[in-house]
Amino acid sequence: MQKRQHNFMHSLLVLAGLWLIQGFSLMAQPSGGPYGPVPQKYELPKVEGNTWFVAPNGNPEAAGTHLTAPTTIEAAFEKVKSGDAIVLRGGTYRSGNLLLNQGITMQPFGDEQVELKGTLEAREWTDLGRGLWMTEWETLFPMAPEDWWVFHNAGRQTPLHRFNNDMVFADGRFLQSAGWLGEVDADHFFVDYDKKRIYVGLDPKKHQMEITAFDVAIHRVDGPLNGLESDQKGPTIKGITFTQYAYRAFEFDGTNPERVSARHEHGKRVTGTTLEHVTISFCSRVGGYFRGDDFTMRNCLVSDTSTEGVFILSSSNVLLERNIFTRNNIENITGYFPAAVKIFNQCYDVVCNDNLVTDLENSNGIWYDVGNVDGVFTNNRLQNVGSRRIPFNASTPWAGDNAFFFEISKGVTVAGNEFINCDQGVFILNSFGAEVYQNTFVNSAATIALTPRSAQGDHFGWHPASGPDVDERHNHVLTNNLFVATSEYLRPFINVWQTPELCETLSDNPVKSMDGNVFVTNPAYSEDLIYWSPLPAEENCHQSFKNLAAFAQAHPAMNQKSADYPLGSIPLFKGLHTANYELLPTFPGHQRAVALPSRVQKLLQTNKNQKPYIGAHPAE
């Protein structure tokens, strides 16, 4: 235990030092942007190898080594070697299935706008009458759900045709799939896979109709290609839009350990990938699968994806910074556990700093899932995640979707974030050492939950074995957080929950420390403030607390400086209606804060003279 804590602290200090050395600006609050791609004017890259110029109308026979005689993007991908660059002239490239195994640079020329599309225009249509048109289409992408998808649970909400990867766009507008011709209208299309036909319910002569033709934009393969062995280096890609691909825009091969794996056994086949000012949108499944250590994604936009926006697998030293992640699961597939970002399968030292995660009605936000170690989640703004229509149910910790989700993993610091109007702002499930400091929760909850899920007989096999065992899911911290209900809110602010059947074997408090939290309740707010377990003397081992005074009687050591106030009775935010969640200097809760550990102060780059404060924003 002490060794684990020491390693975790050491990791955070090392990361803080790396940020300082590399010039990253960490602040103890969300920065406010700029998030997502920022228009750039790129100089020609200075590379050790060749620079290849390509254009949408490039000549495949051209050498491509001069700006005035560009080749095609397909031809350039067959020529590049490690240390080369591809410079793209502006325009739309309808291309995909581009294979790469070299560490190259890829960027636009100057400030020209570059877009890679996975669709082709469909111009040949037959008018069948009664508002129905049909085209023949060869490149179709049928798919069935994964074998772990439970048909009898989700099949009433998600028809099987939603798992197919074909997409149709009318003037860039995404159309949903239909299960038969009777559902086809201006917003839905139908695919007859046997006859290879696509049907739409709007006049194609009046619209630009685009249909998916490519499965992936860039596939970074792990083995030999074009006479070259893989150099194990990831590409650097800047300033390009990737959109409308049938499965995903990016696939980076690597190790997928289907067992508990040591850190050095994965993440090494492709390292150092960098994406900056890149847009990924409208991929029928996932924006990108990224494998490999030292992956950086900065100022990118990932939107309008389906099961996941970004999928990071079995990788270490990852940085996601100042990105926008929005509108995942646009097909509303149920039973698939969607997430705008999923960090999966034994990743180490993954840092999510100062990102905007927003408008995810049918999806989780950022999810560290299965066997992750020493995560850092700082200064992010997460808003409108989930529907907030599901009322609290004391028999389950699930409440729809979660803005930040940490499951079956060990060690994470969650600090300086804003969680605004989310089903659950923070959900810690079956994990060890989640430390939650200095966050602002507005109409959003924090939940820590334990279940008997273990490596024996689990539906997903080895997954639980990669995290802490049932009796090791503790050592959590909740300190200096601000919880505010500005409207009707259906959940307790804090829910520490465990399955009642565990009460006999797990009677210790899973929370190591909890103090300096301030709660601002709505006068019309009738829900409990805190729901807590284990309390063996209570029915089902749980107890509800309407206010802090009642909670203090059960846990006096965890409530020495915390406070609760009714909304409207105290000065609060500088601009609730303008989404400015900085606290007014006269907010009385400031004095309730407790001192942070020095390692967390260093992580947040808090001024050493800064007094302790509540929530994500330092007090003036």
Side-chain angles (χ1 to χ4, degrees), residues 6 41 68 129 148 202 212 217 221 244 358 364 368 382 401 429 461 512 559 566 601 603:
H6 172 78
K41 186 170 184 178
T68 56
W148 47 259
L202 72 175
T212 41
V221 300
Q244 299 181 356
T358 185
N364 295 284
Y368 289 64
L382 305 98
D401 295 303
L429 180 61
K512 177 179 67 175
N559 193 37
Q601 288 181 310
L603 180 65

Side-chain angles (χ1 to χ4, degrees), residues 71-114:
T71 186
T72 63
I73 191 170
E74 294 85 358
F77 263 75
E78 292 179 358
K79 298 176 181 178
V80 288
K81 297 180 181 180
S82 185
D84 287 359
I86 298 177
V87 174
L88 295 87
R89 300 304 307 267
T92 297
Y93 297 74
R94 294 192 183 272
S95 181
N97 302 331
L98 301 168
L99 302 181
L100 181 70
N101 74 346
Q102 301 288 292
I104 67 165
T105 297
M106 186 175 175
Q107 67 171 60
F109 176 75
D111 57 1
E112 295 181 0
Q113 303 300 300
V114 174

Side-chain angles (χ1 to χ4, degrees), residues 159 161-162 177-190:
H161 61 81
R162 287 287 163 86
S177 63
W180 67 299
L181 288 180
E183 295 177 352
V184 174
D185 57 20
D187 300 316
H188 294 79
F189 69 94
F190 172 71

Side-chain angles (χ1 to χ4, degrees), residues 219-466:
H219 183 182
R220 207 295 180 187
V221 300
D222 188 29
L225 179 68
N226 299 324
L228 299 172
E229 294 296 327
S230 171
D231 65 356
Q232 298 184 313
K233 297 178 182 179
T236 295
I237 302 175
K238 303 178 181 180
I240 300 172
T241 292
F242 299 84
T243 188
Q244 299 181 356
Y245 284 91
Y247 194 107
R248 69 284 197 221
F250 296 99
E251 178 84 43
F252 283 63
D253 289 349
T255 307
N256 289 313
E258 295 295 321
R259 57 180 175 78
V260 177
S261 172
R263 179 173 181 167
H264 68 272
E265 295 178 346
H266 51 260
K268 307 298 184 285
R269 294 185 180 179
V270 179
T271 63
T273 299
T274 299
L275 269 62
E276 292 182 344
H277 304 288
V278 166
T279 295
I280 304 171
S281 66
F282 291 107
C283 296
S284 184
R285 281 297 155 266
V286 177
Y289 290 95
F290 298 100
R291 300 170 178 87
D293 294 353
D294 304 312
F295 170 57
T296 297
M297 186 175 191
R298 185 184 294 112
N299 282 103
C300 295
L301 167 64
V302 183
S303 73
D304 300 284
T305 45
S306 194
T307 52
E308 284 86 18
V310 169
F311 211 134
I312 297 168
L313 300 103
S314 308
S315 303
S316 297
N317 302 323
V318 173
L319 174 65
L320 306 182
E321 186 171 58
R322 296 201 177 186
N323 304 292
I324 300 173
F325 302 108
T326 185
R327 298 193 302 275
N328 183 54
N329 197 17
I330 57 175
E331 297 175 280
N332 195 19
I333 292 176
T334 58
Y336 243 54
F337 316 111
V341 178
K342 189 168 285 184
I343 301 158
F344 179 71
N345 191 358
Q346 304 172 82
C347 294
Y348 289 74
D349 298 325
V350 176
V351 178
C352 296
N353 177 62
D354 198 16
N355 299 283
L356 176 61
V357 182
T358 185
D359 297 334
L360 295 163
E361 183 177 1
N362 306 311
S363 173
N364 295 284
I366 297 181
W367 185 351
Y368 289 64
D369 185 21
V370 182
N372 295 293
V373 179
D374 292 352
V376 175
F377 193 81
T378 46
N379 308 324
N380 302 283
R381 180 165 188 172
L382 305 98
Q383 60 189 24
N384 303 326
V385 179
S387 66
R388 293 179 56 223
R389 293 189 293 267
I390 301 175
F392 177 62
N393 181 352
S395 65
T396 176
W398 293 90
D401 295 303
N402 312 286
F404 171 77
F405 192 1
F406 192 74
E407 183 179 11
I408 315 178
S409 296
K410 301 175 183 179
V412 67
T413 293
V414 182
N417 305 284
E418 292 179 347
F419 301 97
I420 313 299
N421 298 327
C422 302
D423 280 344
Q424 290 189 136
V426 168
F427 187 26
I428 310 299
L429 180 61
N430 293 334
S431 294
F432 169 89
E435 302 192 351
V436 182
Y437 298 97
Q438 305 286 171
N439 302 283
T440 294
F441 295 81
V442 177
N443 305 322
S444 304
T447 295
I448 297 171
L450 293 81
T451 76
R453 184 180 181 187
S454 69
Q456 286 72 43
D458 190 77
H459 186 58
F460 290 99
W462 55 271
H463 287 191
S466 67

Side-chain angles (χ1 to χ4, degrees), residues 54-65:
V54 304
N57 60 350
N59 180 358
E61 303 300 323
T65 53

Side-chain angles (χ1 to χ4, degrees), residues 23-143:
F24 299 139
S25 176
L26 272 183
M27 301 173 63
Q29 63 194 58
S31 70
Y35 300 115
V38 178
Q40 307 284 314
K41 186 170 184 178
Y42 290 98
E43 301 291 335
L44 289 179
K46 297 178 181 179
V47 295
E48 296 177 357
N50 295 317
T51 297
W52 307 92
F53 296 94
V54 304
N57 60 350
N59 180 358
E61 303 300 323
T65 53
H66 297 284
L67 180 65
T68 56
T71 186
T72 63
I73 191 170
E74 294 85 358
F77 263 75
E78 292 179 358
K79 298 176 181 178
V80 288
K81 297 180 181 180
S82 185
D84 287 359
I86 298 177
V87 174
L88 295 87
R89 300 304 307 267
T92 297
Y93 297 74
R94 294 192 183 272
S95 181
N97 302 331
L98 301 168
L99 302 181
L100 181 70
N101 74 346
Q102 301 288 292
I104 67 165
T105 297
M106 186 175 175
Q107 67 171 60
F109 176 75
D111 57 1
E112 295 181 0
Q113 303 300 300
V114 174
E115 178 182 59
L116 269 67
K117 274 193 171 183
T119 54
L120 296 176
E121 289 192 67
R123 296 190 175 96
E124 303 295 328
W125 293 85
T126 301
D127 186 349
L128 303 177
R130 295 181 295 175
L132 194 66
W133 288 263
M134 180 271 293
T135 189
E136 309 280 346
W137 202 256
E138 286 295 322
T139 51
L140 297 175
F141 302 93
M143 180 172 278

